[in-house]
Amino acid sequence: PLASAAQGNTAGSLPELDGHWSQAAFERWHAHGIVEGDSRGMRPDANMTVAEFAAILCRAMGYTETVENPYADLRGDEWYAPYILRLTAAGILEGDGANCNAEEPMNRERATVLFARAMGIRPSENPDLSNFVDGDEAADWSVGYIDAMADAGIVQGIGSNTLALGASITRGSVVTLLDNAVAEYADQDGASVTGDVDGIVLVAADSVTVDAAVIVAPKAGEARLTVKDSTVAGELWVNTKGAAVSLEGASQVAELTVDKADGTVTVGADASVSALNARAAVKVDNQGSISKANVHADNVVLDGRQPDAVEVAEGVTPPTDSDGDTVTGGVEKVSG
């Protein structure tokens, strides 16, 4: 199993990997306590099991919520049981309808889809895998995710533009997938991420300030995220129950998506959001500018300046302010 984290590791701390193509990725994530070996070492060329994959994602994302065991093949006392149940609670792992198959090898197709879901990477609407010689072998449920991961440079195939989706994925490939996806991993309370960052900043601490052009997926738990004088050209994705997000200074966010309930969003006077996607109950204090609010959940509260436009999904209660008055913005539409 991927054992509990070791602390204080640095590059070069895993001599067994000297010269291996995944060495740098292992050393980085081993230092953060996300990947760990066993009595046989890191075994980068060994196939990764579903259980090991669940452990890596849970540690990286900081998932803590769990569910009652729905799987016939999971007793609950296995070392990996908490990880399987947390990944299930997060809506990432679904099993086959009866079993989780935790000790079976994970294949490349399934690993790519589960990883994309965890990182908040949306499937492409018009996927095109023609650059890969076996791209037409992708299933309907996976093709959009694989295309989005390839477009982001996270999935690059294995030799000769081949995806090999049905093949088992190795431990080295999974750790490299994580390494390719996450540009910055902020796992210390009070951390500050500054400068230009090309890729995802994964927030795995309770209080982080971001002063960079980034995409952010905060950790599970009551995270506090401050975006200061920054331009987020992509999506700032908040998959964190009870998260508090503040946009300060002249911050500009193209798309702010809230996927978990009980959070707050504060938009400062000089800050702006082009599209706010409320997919869960959230309280917003807007002193700046929100061009459009897309409301997909009940109990959304919009205080301060109204968005220019509010679109409410069919069957959803329109947002209100704290006084209970309906917020319509400049235009209110209803979509199916």
Side-chain angles (χ1 to χ4, degrees):
L2 298 175
S4 60
Q7 300 294 326
N9 298 291
T10 59
S13 63
L14 303 173
E16 74 218 55
L17 295 174
D18 282 351
H20 195 274
W21 55 267
S22 66
Q23 180 179 1
F26 266 100
E27 289 176 338
R28 177 188 179 192
W29 294 102
H30 180 57
H32 284 298
I34 305 304
V35 295
E36 186 60 86
D38 55 22
S39 59
R40 294 168 290 174
M42 289 294 170
R43 298 182 295 119
D45 297 317
N47 292 334
M48 177 165 279
T49 66
V50 173
E52 292 172 334
F53 188 84
I56 281 184
L57 274 191
C58 282
R59 290 184 189 136
M61 298 300 296
Y63 295 135
T64 56
E65 293 186 16
T66 189
V67 293
E68 185 175 347
N69 181 12
Y71 301 114
D73 62 347
L74 187 70
R75 296 189 311 272
D77 59 356
E78 301 92 343
W79 71 266
Y80 51 77
Y83 298 117
I84 293 290
L85 297 179
R86 290 172 193 168
L87 205 61
T88 301
I92 308 302
L93 183 68
E94 299 174 350
D96 62 8
N99 301 311
C100 63
N101 305 304
E103 297 185 10
E104 295 297 317
M106 173 73 78
N107 71 30
R108 296 177 58 87
E109 184 171 32
R110 190 181 182 200
T112 302
V113 171
L114 298 191
F115 192 88
R117 289 177 183 168
M119 290 290 161
I121 296 172
R122 306 282 194 268
S124 301
E125 293 184 2
N126 299 298
D128 180 7
L129 297 179
S130 59
N131 288 335
F132 298 99
V133 296
D134 56 349
D136 58 352
E137 296 178 13
D140 290 343
W141 55 269
S142 69
V143 63
Y145 286 107
I146 295 168
D147 182 66
M149 293 276 279
D151 285 346
I154 299 170
V155 168
Q156 300 169 356
I158 53 171
S160 302
N161 296 321
T162 301
L163 290 167
L165 297 174
S168 297
I169 193 167
T170 65
R171 292 162 59 92
S173 292
V174 169
V175 178
T176 300
L177 196 69
L178 178 63
D179 200 54
N180 288 344
V182 180
E184 293 283 347
Y185 189 61
D187 62 345
Q188 299 294 322
D189 288 351
S192 178
V193 180
T194 62
D196 291 332
V197 179
D198 183 15
I200 293 173
V201 172
L202 183 57
V203 178
D206 286 338
S207 181
V208 173
T209 298
V210 177
D211 184 6
V214 297
I215 301 173
V216 183
K219 144 185 180 175
E222 294 185 358
R224 296 181 299 280
L225 176 66
T226 301
V227 180
K228 184 177 181 181
D229 290 318
S230 301
T231 298
V232 182
E235 182 179 22
L236 196 162
W237 179 59
V238 185
N239 188 31
T240 309
K241 184 176 181 180
V245 178
S246 297
L247 308 184
E248 297 182 355
S251 292
Q252 299 178 13
V253 177
E255 190 169 9
L256 172 56
T257 300
V258 178
D259 267 343
K260 292 292 177 70
D262 303 326
T264 62
V265 173
T266 302
V267 182
D270 296 322
S272 65
V273 177
S274 295
L276 169 68
N277 303 314
R279 301 183 183 277
V282 60
K283 185 174 182 178
V284 179
D285 179 11
N286 176 36
Q287 300 303 317
S289 171
I290 298 177
S291 298
K292 184 178 182 181
N294 301 303
V295 180
H296 300 273
D298 297 333
N299 301 315
V300 172
V301 176
L302 301 176
D303 284 331
R305 295 180 59 184
Q306 290 196 8
D308 296 338
V310 176
E311 183 170 338
V312 183
E314 185 176 358
V316 172
T317 303
T320 66
D321 59 22
S322 291
D323 294 327
D325 297 325
T326 300
V327 175
T328 61
V331 178
E332 182 179 18
K333 302 176 182 178
V334 177
S335 63

Coordinates of all heavy atoms in Angstrom, one line a residue, residues 17 38 59 119 138 150 211 279 311:
L17 N 15.2 5.2 -7.5 CA 14.7 5.8 -8.7 C 15.7 6.5 -9.6 O 15.3 7.0 -10.6 CB 13.5 6.8 -8.4 CG 12.3 6.2 -7.7 CD1 11.4 7.3 -7.3 CD2 11.6 5.2 -8.5
D38 N 6.6 0.9 -0.2 CA 6.4 -0.1 0.8 C 7.8 -0.8 1.0 O 8.8 -0.2 0.6 CB 5.3 -1.1 0.4 CG 5.5 -1.7 -0.9 OD1 6.7 -1.7 -1.4 OD2 4.5 -2.2 -1.5
R59 N -5.3 12.0 -0.7 CA -4.2 12.8 0.0 C -4.0 14.1 -0.7 O -3.9 15.2 0.0 CB -2.9 12.0 0.1 CG -3.0 10.8 1.0 CD -1.7 10.1 1.1 NE -1.8 8.9 1.8 CZ -1.2 7.7 1.4 NH1 -0.5 7.7 0.3 NH2 -1.3 6.6 2.1
M119 N -9.8 17.0 -10.4 CA -9.2 18.3 -10.6 C -10.1 19.3 -11.2 O -9.7 20.5 -11.5 CB -8.0 18.1 -11.6 CG -6.8 17.4 -11.0 SD -6.0 18.4 -9.7 CE -5.1 17.1 -8.8
A138 N -11.6 5.3 -27.5 CA -12.1 5.9 -26.2 C -13.6 5.7 -26.2 O -14.3 5.9 -27.1 CB -11.7 7.4 -26.1
A150 N -5.8 16.1 -22.6 CA -4.8 16.2 -23.6 C -4.6 17.6 -24.0 O -3.4 18.1 -24.2 CB -5.2 15.3 -24.8
D211 N -1.4 35.3 -5.6 CA -1.1 36.5 -6.3 C -0.4 36.2 -7.6 O 0.7 36.4 -7.8 CB -0.1 37.4 -5.4 CG 0.1 38.8 -6.1 OD1 -0.5 39.1 -7.1 OD2 1.0 39.5 -5.6
R279 N -23.2 26.2 -8.1 CA -23.7 24.9 -8.2 C -24.1 24.3 -6.8 O -24.5 23.2 -6.7 CB -22.7 24.0 -8.9 CG -22.4 24.5 -10.3 CD -21.4 23.6 -11.0 NE -21.0 24.1 -12.3 CZ -21.7 23.9 -13.4 NH1 -22.9 23.3 -13.4 NH2 -21.3 24.4 -14.6
E311 N -29.1 34.0 -14.4 CA -29.7 32.9 -15.1 C -30.0 31.8 -14.1 O -29.0 31.3 -13.5 CB -28.9 32.4 -16.3 CG -29.6 31.3 -17.1 CD -28.8 31.0 -18.4 OE1 -28.1 31.8 -18.8 OE2 -29.0 29.8 -18.9

